[in-house]
Amino acid sequence: MFVLIVVFIIFLYIIKSKFYLFKPKLNTNKKYLEILKSLAEKNMYSNEIPISAILVYQSEIIGKGKNSMVEENKISGHAEINALNEAFSKFGNEFYKLDKSEMELYTTLEPCPMCKGALVQHGITKVFFDEPKSLTNTWKLGFKSIIYDLKKRRFSSNDMQKNLFKKHPSYIKHHKIN
C-alpha cells in the first residue's frame, strides 16, 4: 500500500512538473536564441555543461548566465542563478521593485529544483526553455523530494531564528517592533 501511495505522489509530481506539454511551443525572439547559443557554446570545450540563460525585463536583457560550477567551484553556478545574480548586480535592491510580470527567463534546459526555487522566490513565473528534463530525471527528483520531506525535522533552539529576525533592522522596520 505504501509503495502505491509513493508511486501516486510521484505521478502527481510529474503531472504538475510536465504541465508545459499541454501548451504550444513559443516562437522565441531570434536574438535571444543567438545569445543563448553563444553563451552555451562557451562551455563546449571546458568541463562545464553547455547550459545558458538570459533574464529579460521589458524586452531588454538584464542578466546573462552560463553554467560555471567547475570554473567557479560553486555548487550554485547554474546558468539561471548566474543570470539572476548578474541582474541583481546591475540593479541592487531596486531589483525587488521591478515588475516581475514583465520579466522572463529563457534557458536552454528546463530549470532544476534549485533554480526553480530561486525563480519562484523572486517572483519570476515566465520561464521558457528549449530542452525539457527527461521523464527519468523527473521521477528521480519526485522521489528525492518525497524522501527530503519525510526526513526533514526541526531542531530545538529556543526560537533562535525568530529572535534573530526580531533584532534585524529590516524586520523591525517592516513589523513595527521596538
Side-chain angles (χ1 to χ4, degrees):
M1 184 66 175
F2 177 74
V3 172
L4 196 58
I5 291 170
V6 169
V7 169
F8 179 71
I9 291 171
I10 293 172
F11 177 75
L12 289 177
Y13 176 83
I14 289 172
I15 295 289
K16 174 187 73 102
S17 64
K18 296 293 182 185
F19 191 71
Y20 65 85
L21 292 171
F22 302 105
K23 297 179 180 178
K25 283 188 176 180
L26 176 74
N27 287 324
T28 308
N29 181 319
K30 293 206 186 305
K31 178 179 121 184
Y32 298 165
L33 292 176
E34 289 170 14
I35 292 169
L36 286 168
K37 183 178 179 189
S38 173
L39 283 168
E41 283 177 339
K42 290 179 182 178
N43 284 346
M44 291 298 290
Y45 302 103
S46 66
N47 287 330
E48 298 288 355
I49 298 172
I51 300 171
S52 61
I54 56 173
L55 189 60
V56 177
Y57 180 67
Q58 296 178 339
S59 301
E60 182 182 329
I61 296 172
I62 62 170
K64 297 178 190 175
K66 63 182 182 67
N67 270 27
S68 62
M69 290 176 61
V70 175
E71 177 185 324
E72 295 178 3
N73 200 29
K74 286 171 52 177
I75 202 163
S76 62
H78 290 204
E80 299 87 348
I81 301 290
N82 290 335
L84 279 169
N85 284 336
E86 184 175 289
F88 190 78
S89 291
K90 285 181 184 175
F91 289 91
N93 283 332
E94 295 298 310
F95 179 82
Y96 295 111
K97 296 177 183 174
L98 299 177
D99 182 0
K100 301 305 185 299
S101 70
E102 295 189 42
M103 202 171 284
E104 301 170 335
L105 182 105
Y106 294 84
T107 182
T108 55
L109 183 66
E110 182 179 1
C112 72
M114 176 181 69
C115 295
K116 177 183 171 184
L119 294 166
V120 169
Q121 179 72 29
H122 294 288
I124 301 164
T125 58
K126 294 180 184 173
V127 177
F128 306 101
F129 56 89
D130 178 38
E131 185 68 25
K133 297 279 188 186
S134 71
L135 196 55
T136 303
N137 183 277
T138 304
W139 273 96
K140 285 179 185 177
L141 289 174
F143 183 72
K144 287 178 181 180
S145 181
I146 290 168
I147 298 301
Y148 169 84
D149 285 333
L150 290 172
K151 289 189 173 191
K152 70 180 179 183
R153 294 186 56 195
R154 291 185 64 191
F155 62 84
S156 178
S157 70
N158 296 324
D159 295 328
M160 175 179 59
Q161 186 62 56
K162 191 181 293 184
N163 291 327
L164 289 167
F165 280 147
K166 287 179 180 177
K167 292 177 185 176
H168 192 274
S170 175
Y171 188 90
I172 293 167
K173 179 181 169 185
H174 292 0
H175 296 284
K176 296 178 176 68
I177 295 175
N178 294 324

